[in-house]
Amino acid sequence: SGGYEIDNSLRFDNGATEKLTFTPGSAGNVKLQTVSVWVKRGNLGSTQGIISAGGRFDTAITFGSDDKIQVFTNYAENYRGIQTSAVFRDTSAWYHIVATWDTNNATSTDRHICWVNGVRQAVGSEVTIPQNVDTKLFSATEHTIGTGGRYQYNTRFDGLMAEMHAIDGQVLTPTSFGEYGDYGEWKPIDCKDDLTYGTNGFYLDFKSSGVGTASSSKVGADRSGNDNPYTSSNLAATDQMVD
């Protein structure tokens, strides 16, 4: 009671071709990145892209067909990253996912990290990426929310997304976006004014219901102050939800 409340989410149907897209005009920091997003799943058991950069799932957060979370980067035609040990199959729950990329890190197992509801996830499988590799996130290439990118037609997300923060140039922890409540529950905090988003970072709160070409009055409006809005495709005003 009296805590921060998220007003809106955006609904994606993996039976449709719904997505949000944005292409930066120039590259930001391609070695240090953080993405925070709340998701509530719909259909299970298929590969589903949450956010990706590059045309072939080059850098992405996904649910695998086994319902585990994957955070990875495509390097030298091979996917390098992590897959959680845990599976995420509760379609009644909101999951807060924080993923980081830090290719500068001297510790190879810290170059990709995933937290869920404030807890760093144990890794079921990992292929480490070489140090100082450039990722595609925040580069001058297409960024896609809700699918695996232009060439991944069967990797559409199904469910709801809310409160997506993307931080260009910093590796943050979940406490930048959430906190534990009185009963041990993980919950969001009002963090927008405390974050520095960097050149190509953004904050999508889905408080506008307009669809189509990117603008400050559409569902893909960027509230970070950077003016990096996303264009929506095949989404309707009715896909803006109050859940």
Side-chain angles (χ1 to χ4, degrees), residues 91-174:
T91 56
S92 68
W94 280 95
Y95 295 117
H96 179 225
I97 299 171
V98 175
T100 62
W101 295 258
D102 180 4
T103 66
N104 287 339
N105 203 303
T107 302
S108 61
T109 52
D110 287 341
R111 293 175 193 156
H112 294 92
I113 298 177
C114 178
W115 287 268
V116 178
N117 296 343
V119 178
R120 181 168 175 171
Q121 294 300 293
V123 173
S125 62
E126 180 170 12
V127 180
T128 58
I129 196 167
Q131 192 173 12
N132 298 319
V133 166
D134 290 351
T135 77
K136 291 294 186 180
L137 193 61
F138 303 132
S139 69
T141 189
E142 185 177 80
H143 291 50
T144 306
I145 296 169
T147 75
R150 289 174 293 173
Y151 308 125
Q152 298 287 333
Y153 298 111
N154 296 315
T155 56
R156 304 180 187 115
F157 180 73
D158 194 277
L160 307 178
M161 291 191 203
E163 199 81 349
M164 178 177 280
H165 298 273
I167 310 299
D168 178 350
Q170 296 180 78
V171 173
L172 302 180
T173 62

Side-chain angles (χ1 to χ4, degrees), residues 26-75:
S26 60
N29 192 312
V30 292
K31 292 181 170 63
L32 302 172
Q33 303 113 6
T34 304
V35 173
S36 164
V37 62
W38 290 79
V39 301
K40 187 176 184 181
R41 303 200 67 190
N43 291 332
L44 306 176
S46 64
T47 301
Q48 298 179 23
I50 296 172
I51 182 171
S52 66
R56 295 178 298 169
F57 250 164
D58 283 338
T59 301
I61 308 170
T62 71
F63 284 106
S65 58
D66 53 6
D67 300 312
K68 298 177 181 180
I69 298 173
Q70 303 163 339
V71 180
F72 59 84
T73 300
N74 186 353
Y75 170 73

Side-chain angles (χ1 to χ4, degrees), residues 197 201-204 215-216 220-230:
Y197 288 89
F202 56 87
Y203 166 40
L204 306 184
S215 78
S216 60
D222 172 23
R223 312 292 187 191
S224 71
N226 278 349
D227 192 25
N228 292 324
Y230 275 65

